[in-house]
Amino acid sequence: MEPFPFPIRREETLRYLGYQGQPLEDSLLEKLNLARERIRRVSRPLYTYRIFPLSRTETGLVPQGTNLLLSGEDIANHLAGCNQVALMAATLGVQVDKEIKYLELTDMTLGAMADAAATAAVEELCDWVEVTVHREAKCHGLFATGRFSPGYGDLPILLQREFTRALDTPKTIGLTVNGSGILLPRKSVTAILGLSSEPIAAAGRSCTSCPNWESCPYRKGGTFCEPDKTTV
């Protein structure tokens, strides 16, 4: 998919900038539109996902055939009742990182807007991948959770290395991870979705279950901030 095939929503970009309804000058809105367009042009979105049977051990959950240990109470709660998991990874590509860095050096405001637009874009891409997983699950008579990423709650971010190995992302989509567990390119996401043969209750699987919910700067103002899974 190239360039970015989905809208980079202005409202989402503003949200990642910390916008809270204050008046915006026309010049700022023009610059915001420019930032969105520049990110759209340089984005080269790629994604991959695989479905694994899920094993439960004394130390955590393990997607069978991988060395990935999903530890902690939050991911255990998220995957309660699930006997399979979908591991997904998505990226906007390295040119987005380069564009943001260039803009930050030449126009700090435009650079900040481009960074926010890229964050909105990669989340839009992840929403699309999530819908794809839900549709595949439905075709097999399964039900899927929303996505849960390393670094959420008490799920360690340092498991990113094994995560990328499980999906072979350096070869499939050019996604790697540094020693601190940071994905490269930076505008990339990995996530886990649970699959179950039984309907999955929404309780406990929304933003409200996150320990950082009260202080999260990205909440949309309501109880839930997960996207509608019924449409692309």
Side-chain angles (χ1 to χ4, degrees):
M1 294 185 290
E2 53 180 293
F4 195 70
F6 310 115
I8 301 178
R9 303 179 195 281
R10 187 175 75 172
E11 294 76 10
E12 287 296 283
T13 303
L14 285 169
R15 186 167 68 92
Y16 286 113
L17 284 167
Y19 177 70
Q20 296 181 339
Q22 59 269 41
L24 294 175
E25 297 178 1
D26 289 344
S27 60
L28 283 177
L29 290 176
E30 290 177 5
K31 186 166 285 194
L32 182 69
N33 290 336
L34 175 60
R36 291 162 57 216
E37 176 59 21
R38 291 187 71 143
I39 292 301
R40 190 196 70 81
R41 284 205 314 263
V42 300
S43 294
R44 294 298 180 266
L46 292 171
Y47 74 91
T48 185
Y49 72 88
R50 288 181 59 193
I51 295 173
F52 299 85
L54 186 64
S55 295
R56 286 173 166 78
T57 71
E58 292 182 357
T59 54
L61 309 175
V62 178
Q64 293 179 21
T66 78
N67 293 320
L68 187 60
L69 176 65
L70 308 178
S71 61
E73 293 184 7
D74 293 324
I75 190 63
N77 290 335
H78 188 76
L79 297 178
C82 298
N83 53 17
Q84 299 181 66
V85 291
L87 304 183
M88 59 165 277
T91 183
L92 296 184
V94 68
Q95 289 302 321
V96 167
D97 287 5
K98 292 180 179 179
E99 182 78 357
I100 293 170
K101 185 175 182 179
Y102 170 76
L103 293 175
E104 287 174 340
L105 292 173
T106 57
D107 185 328
M108 291 183 63
T109 300
L110 187 59
M113 290 177 170
D115 185 86
T119 299
V122 76
E123 289 298 319
E124 191 77 23
L125 174 60
C126 287
D127 290 348
W128 188 87
V129 179
E130 186 173 334
V131 169
T132 302
V133 173
H134 275 245
R135 287 176 174 168
E136 180 173 343
K138 186 176 181 180
C139 287
H140 295 281
L142 299 173
F143 301 87
T145 69
R147 62 184 184 268
F148 195 105
S149 290
Y152 285 10
D154 60 2
L155 184 65
I157 196 170
L158 288 177
L159 58 77
Q160 295 278 35
R161 188 170 302 281
E162 286 300 334
F163 201 117
T164 55
R165 286 174 179 165
L167 292 178
D168 197 19
T169 61
K171 290 183 179 179
T172 55
I173 61 173
L175 176 61
T176 61
V177 58
N178 68 17
S180 300
I182 304 300
L183 296 172
L184 301 172
R186 294 291 298 270
K187 295 305 178 180
S188 305
V189 172
T190 61
I192 303 150
L193 297 89
L195 303 176
S196 173
S197 57
E198 301 293 333
I200 298 170
R205 289 186 165 87
S206 72
C207 287
T208 53
S209 64
C210 177
N212 299 320
W213 182 77
E214 289 292 344
S215 59
C216 178
Y218 302 127
R219 275 199 298 130
K220 295 181 179 176
T223 302
F224 303 104
C225 70
E226 293 178 342
D228 177 8
K229 308 303 191 305
T230 61
T231 60
V232 175

